[in-house]
Amino acid sequence: MTTTTALTLGPIEHRLEGIVPDVERAVLEPIIEEIERLKADRNAVVLAHNYMTPDIFHGVADLRGDSLQLARMANETSAEVIVMAGVHFMAETAKITNPDKTVLIPDLRAGCSLAESITGADVRLLKERYPDVPVVTYVNTSAEVKAESDICCTSSNAVQVVESLGTDRVIFLPDQYLGRWVASQTDIDVILWEGSCEVHERFTADELRSYRATHPGIQIIAHPECPPDVLAEADFVGSTSGMISYVKTEIPRQVVMVTECSMSDNVAVEAPRTEFVRPCNLCPHMKRITLEGIRDALETMEHEVVVDADVAVRARRAVDRMLRVTAPAGVK
Ligand code: 13P
Ligand code: SF4
């Protein structure tokens, strides 16, 4: 297995230079200093999702990425403590695959509307209704739901996972829009659940058409949790990391990232030749994670993520199967 390389964060006084106003830096840098001290004391790393605010993303994240990358990084780090700067299902996924590590989430209220849309009992009922149809579950779900599933997927590998099963039908849970996106990319029949992301479902096709009208030549790149008519307006559809790679490789003159607000703030730092047009839909769950919260989590070692052992073993099968299906070349 490859070994995860933590980011080189550089001297604290330069990390947020040009990223946040100087008056804010004066407040944030002492907190970053405390976090660094605590990370060293606890043998801890901070894993940060792409939706974290720039002070976290550029200030203290040792490893950062989309849901799939975070799941892999959690497996590969040798640190004893993982602080998940992301939402609860991401911390739970890290714990499921690393039962011997301590996984902390700075705020237990950092949930997800998709994870809340379905329970393990719902999945059991679906399996009764569609026996022999495999269940593909988006990682944005609880461990209990993963435990009832045949395989997990993320937004970056959903089509590949669905096609890996060799069946002509799958049950796809719980995001109806990601499910519809997958269905549009494959001949496999997809049975959907009516979950949705409260952030991405707010974008409209009209809104995107008006960006095209007011910004000729603008590139529209969207997350597959958006409704189908929104995705139909996009030049590119991909996971949060897929969207970041698109901007870095295509270097569009102007771009609108149809996803959570902080993405543009974070990517703009590394893409100075691109102008970002920024609609702002915030994820209230992601925004519960703050720099102060990360410091407090490391100080108090709270909140530790705990998953029932039996549920964790069953959920791990579904997560590991996904990781095997989409392993980079040479990784088993
Ligand atoms: P990604 O896996 O694309 O980062 O998506 C996670 C998520 O919650 C998007 O809303
Ligand atoms: Fe869940 Fe949507 Fe927030 Fe992502 S953006 S964590 S899918 S509510």
Side-chain angles (χ1 to χ4, degrees):
M1 184 171 281
T2 53
T3 307
T4 300
T5 313
L7 294 164
T8 308
L9 280 163
I12 290 171
E13 65 275 20
H14 294 318
R15 290 184 196 173
L16 301 182
E17 218 170 23
I19 297 178
V20 301
D22 286 351
V23 291
E24 276 182 44
R25 273 175 58 200
V27 177
L28 298 174
E29 283 169 2
I31 306 174
I32 295 176
E33 229 168 82
E34 283 183 77
I35 291 173
E36 291 306 334
R37 179 182 52 78
L38 288 160
K39 278 200 266 187
D41 286 354
R42 308 283 195 205
N43 187 14
V45 284
V46 174
L47 264 63
H49 185 259
N50 293 323
Y51 291 164
M52 288 296 105
T53 47
D55 54 342
I56 296 173
F57 195 79
H58 294 287
V60 295
D62 299 290
L63 300 159
R64 54 199 197 192
D66 66 12
S67 306
L68 181 62
Q69 291 167 326
L70 293 178
R72 282 199 195 290
M73 289 163 179
N75 273 1
E76 294 173 12
T77 178
S78 57
E80 286 163 43
V81 177
I82 293 171
V83 181
M84 184 57 75
V87 290
H88 194 264
F89 75 80
M90 295 173 177
E92 223 177 34
T93 305
K95 182 65 187 175
I96 288 165
T97 54
N98 295 280
D100 299 333
K101 285 184 186 154
T102 301
V103 178
L104 304 174
I105 181 140
D107 191 322
L108 280 171
R109 297 168 300 174
C112 170
S113 64
L114 282 167
E116 276 147 33
S117 72
I118 190 161
T119 64
D122 292 327
V123 187
R124 286 191 289 277
L125 282 175
L126 276 169
K127 290 199 289 191
E128 272 172 35
R129 192 182 309 163
Y130 300 104
D132 305 325
V133 181
V135 177
V136 180
T137 292
Y138 194 27
V139 285
N140 297 38
T141 45
S142 66
E144 192 205 359
V145 167
K146 290 184 177 76
E148 297 294 338
S149 308
D150 294 289
I151 189 164
C152 285
C153 72
T154 71
S155 60
S156 67
N157 63 19
V159 175
Q160 196 186 349
V161 165
V162 163
E163 291 189 335
S164 75
L165 298 171
T167 56
D168 51 16
R169 229 161 45 137
V170 299
I171 299 171
F172 189 93
L173 308 172
D175 186 354
Q176 57 178 308
Y177 297 133
L178 178 61
R180 282 184 210 181
W181 166 251
V182 170
S184 76
Q185 303 297 303
T186 167
D187 292 335
I188 295 163
D189 187 20
V190 180
I191 299 165
L192 299 168
W193 183 256
E194 292 214 343
S196 55
C197 161
E198 66 188 88
V199 178
H200 291 90
E201 71 180 352
R202 294 211 301 271
F203 291 104
T204 66
D206 271 352
E207 190 183 347
L208 301 194
R209 281 191 287 268
S210 76
Y211 287 124
R212 280 218 200 276
T214 51
H215 300 76
I218 196 167
Q219 292 285 292
I220 297 181
I221 62 176
H223 195 276
E225 289 172 7
C226 294
D229 59 335
V230 171
L231 296 181
E233 297 295 329
D235 298 298
F236 172 79
V237 175
S239 76
T240 55
S241 287
M243 294 166 89
I244 294 173
S245 301
Y246 182 90
V247 171
K248 287 185 178 169
T249 52
E250 298 295 319
I251 319 177
R253 193 175 51 79
Q254 282 188 320
V255 75
V256 54
M257 293 184 125
V258 188
T259 190
E260 212 265 352
C261 263
S262 293
M263 276 272 290
S264 297
D265 299 337
N266 289 330
V267 190
V269 174
E270 290 161 0
R273 288 158 66 193
T274 296
E275 184 195 333
F276 291 77
V277 176
R278 305 180 194 206
C280 195
N281 284 356
L282 279 173
C283 172
H285 311 289
M286 290 279 183
K287 266 42 217 187
R288 292 212 180 264
I289 309 301
T290 61
L291 210 52
E292 291 86 345
I294 293 171
R295 180 212 38 216
D296 295 348
L298 281 163
E299 183 82 59
T300 60
M301 294 298 279
E302 283 184 342
H303 305 275
E304 188 171 347
V305 175
V306 181
V307 183
D308 170 85
D310 172 57
V311 171
V313 167
R314 292 188 295 128
R316 183 173 186 165
R317 274 186 221 131
V319 175
D320 280 349
R321 191 170 172 193
M322 166 187 78
L323 293 175
R324 280 196 305 275
V325 164
T326 59
V331 178
K332 287 269 174 285

